[in-house]
Amino acid sequence: MPDNVIKFQRPPTPKPPRQTPPWLKRLLTALGIAAFFVAAFAYFSLTGSTQQ
């Protein structure tokens, strides 16, 4: 059979996008909030900012 024959094939089905589980979303949110408060505490403790 010659090589110049067009073979019709179905295109491969694309994989659905990967979904993040709900518990991981909550964990990442909690870690982000905790990191914000740690960074704010470190900033104010290192700069020596005081209220008068």
Side-chain angles (χ1 to χ4, degrees):
M1 203 167 159
D3 289 336
N4 62 353
V5 175
I6 298 174
K7 296 179 183 176
F8 293 100
Q9 298 177 351
R10 291 183 184 210
T13 57
K15 292 182 180 178
R18 190 175 291 184
Q19 300 267 337
T20 306
W23 63 268
L24 185 57
K25 288 181 183 178
R26 284 192 296 263
L27 178 66
L28 290 175
T29 302
L31 288 176
I33 292 171
F36 170 77
F37 282 113
V38 168
F41 176 77
Y43 171 76
F44 286 113
S45 65
L46 291 176
T47 59
S49 170
T50 59
Q51 292 181 345
Q52 295 178 350

